[in-house]
């Protein structure tokens, strides 16, 4: 017979195709990889069907995270995985004034972790309670997540003074973050963005088309008179041809 050691897992994600298919998941189990002693949820990956399970939320030297990691999301080609973490020892960035949670992305080809939740100075975000449920585009280049400025007005993003949750788009190639939940005139508003965002891209177009969907409560993004203030869905578009959207 075969002895099986069972372990629990949450939030599975799958990407790639054929013999390059990968599954990523979160687990608090300590029997998936050797020397898992942090007693915190970690992010793991496995090449299916027969690959070994390896841990993503650790440094290249194998040092495990000093806090929990959650909510993995994977690019379609399985090259990039994003997740939120409360650990501050997984990258070499300066976390001395960082918020509780950050968004990291894992470059599977080079087995490296990088910070995605950067402010305009390139530092980990200061002014957020959490940054969860990040989204990654098919190629892994673009990452989107929700950020809250709280009391740190203008520290992370200039002119961001609304004290509300905002949607951020991060370009992993240029390493630049940008708040996209603003009015067509570029104004920050009091309309809070819901925690779930989704980013997609079409790199066959010139310039490439990037789209981010998010939901928000309030009248300002729609610019409609007598808006009832309920939850609406929005599409942010960058590059590509103009879109003409109609409600049927």
């Amino acid at each position: 017979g075969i002895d099986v050691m069972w372990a629990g897992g949450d939030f599975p994600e799958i990407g790639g195709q054929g013999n390059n298919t990968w599954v990523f998941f979160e687990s608090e189990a300590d029997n998936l990889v050797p020397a898992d002693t942090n007693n915190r949820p970690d992010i793991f990956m496995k090449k299916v069907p027969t690959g070994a399970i390896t841990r993503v939320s650790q440094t290249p030297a194998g040092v495990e995270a000093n806090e929990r990691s959650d909510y993995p999301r994977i690019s379609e080609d399985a090259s990039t995985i994003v997740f939120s973490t409360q650990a501050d020892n997984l990258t070499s960035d300066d976390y001395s004034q960082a918020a509780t949670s950050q968004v990291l992305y894992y470059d599977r080809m080079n087995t490296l972790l990088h910070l995605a939740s950067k402010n305009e100075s390139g530092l980990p975000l200061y002014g957020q309670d959490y940054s969860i449920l990040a989204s990654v585009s098919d190629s892994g280049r673009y990452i989107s997540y929700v950020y809250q400025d709280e009391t740190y007005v203008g520290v992370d993003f200039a002119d961001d003074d609304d004290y509300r949750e905002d949607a951020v788009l991060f370009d992993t190639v240029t390493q630049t973050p940008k708040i996209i939940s603003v009015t067509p005139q570029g104004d920050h508003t009091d309309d809070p963005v819901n925690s779930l965002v989704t980013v997609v891209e079409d790199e066959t177009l010139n310039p490439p088309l990037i789209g981010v969907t998010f939901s928000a409560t309030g009248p300002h993004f729609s610019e409609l008179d007598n808006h009832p203030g309920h939850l609406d869905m929005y599409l942010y578009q960058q590059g590509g041809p103009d879109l003409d959207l109609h409600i049927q």
Side-chain angles (χ1 to χ4, degrees), residues 88-246:
D88 61 7
N89 66 329
L90 295 178
T91 70
S92 59
D93 298 278
D94 179 6
Y95 289 85
S96 60
Q97 299 184 65
T100 302
S101 294
Q102 301 291 330
V103 174
L104 303 185
Y105 65 98
Y106 178 70
D107 176 354
R108 185 179 58 78
M109 301 300 293
N110 296 305
T111 63
L112 292 174
L113 281 172
H114 304 276
L115 179 70
S117 50
K118 292 184 178 182
N119 62 23
E120 289 176 332
S121 298
L123 296 171
L125 289 175
Y126 288 20
Q128 59 181 5
D129 253 343
Y130 56 86
S131 188
I132 62 174
L133 298 176
S135 175
V136 58
S137 65
D138 287 349
S139 73
R141 174 169 179 173
Y142 300 98
I143 296 170
S144 191
Y145 53 87
V146 173
Y147 149 89
Q148 185 177 359
D149 55 352
E150 293 189 342
T151 59
Y152 298 89
V153 174
V155 171
D156 287 322
F157 297 93
D159 302 321
D160 180 28
D161 58 358
D162 54 20
Y163 297 99
R164 295 293 187 271
E165 294 88 348
D166 285 303
V168 176
L169 177 65
F170 180 72
D171 186 337
T172 64
V173 173
T174 63
Q175 291 289 295
T176 52
K178 159 176 159 177
I179 288 182
I180 59 173
S181 50
V182 295
T183 69
Q185 289 74 37
D187 297 325
H188 296 265
T189 81
D190 292 334
D191 297 352
V193 173
N194 192 280
S195 60
L196 183 62
V197 293
T198 301
V199 58
V200 296
E201 67 190 332
D202 186 347
E203 294 189 318
T204 66
L205 301 175
N206 187 21
L209 170 65
I210 304 128
V212 182
T213 59
F214 63 91
S215 60
T217 304
H220 295 99
F221 293 128
S222 68
E223 297 190 313
L224 296 176
D225 294 332
N226 302 315
H227 190 282
H230 51 52
L231 190 69
D232 286 323
M233 289 295 303
Y234 295 96
L235 168 65
Y236 166 84
Q237 179 187 336
Q238 178 177 309
D242 289 339
L243 300 180
D244 189 9
L245 302 180
H246 298 277

Side-chain angles (χ1 to χ4, degrees), residues 14-24 46-49 74 78:
I14 189 168
Q17 59 183 344
N19 62 1
N20 190 39
T21 302
W22 295 80
V23 171
F24 290 78
K46 173 184 171 66
K47 190 174 184 180
V48 294
I74 187 173

Side-chain angles (χ1 to χ4, degrees), residues 28-116:
E28 199 169 356
D30 61 5
N31 59 349
L32 293 174
V33 296
D36 188 344
T37 62
N38 62 359
N39 296 314
R40 295 291 188 272
D42 286 304
I43 309 300
F44 298 90
M45 68 179 182
K46 173 184 171 66
K47 190 174 184 180
V48 294
T50 58
I53 294 176
T54 57
R55 183 165 55 179
V56 173
S57 51
Q58 64 181 31
T59 70
V63 177
E64 59 186 350
N66 58 12
E67 253 301 342
R68 65 181 300 140
S69 300
D70 302 279
Y71 308 114
R73 305 284 295 277
I74 187 173
S75 62
E76 185 178 36
D77 64 358
S79 66
T80 307
I81 178 175
V82 299
F83 60 94
S84 64
T85 186
Q86 294 180 18
D88 61 7
N89 66 329
L90 295 178
T91 70
S92 59
D93 298 278
D94 179 6
Y95 289 85
S96 60
Q97 299 184 65
T100 302
S101 294
Q102 301 291 330
V103 174
L104 303 185
Y105 65 98
Y106 178 70
D107 176 354
R108 185 179 58 78
M109 301 300 293
N110 296 305
T111 63
L112 292 174
L113 281 172
H114 304 276
L115 179 70

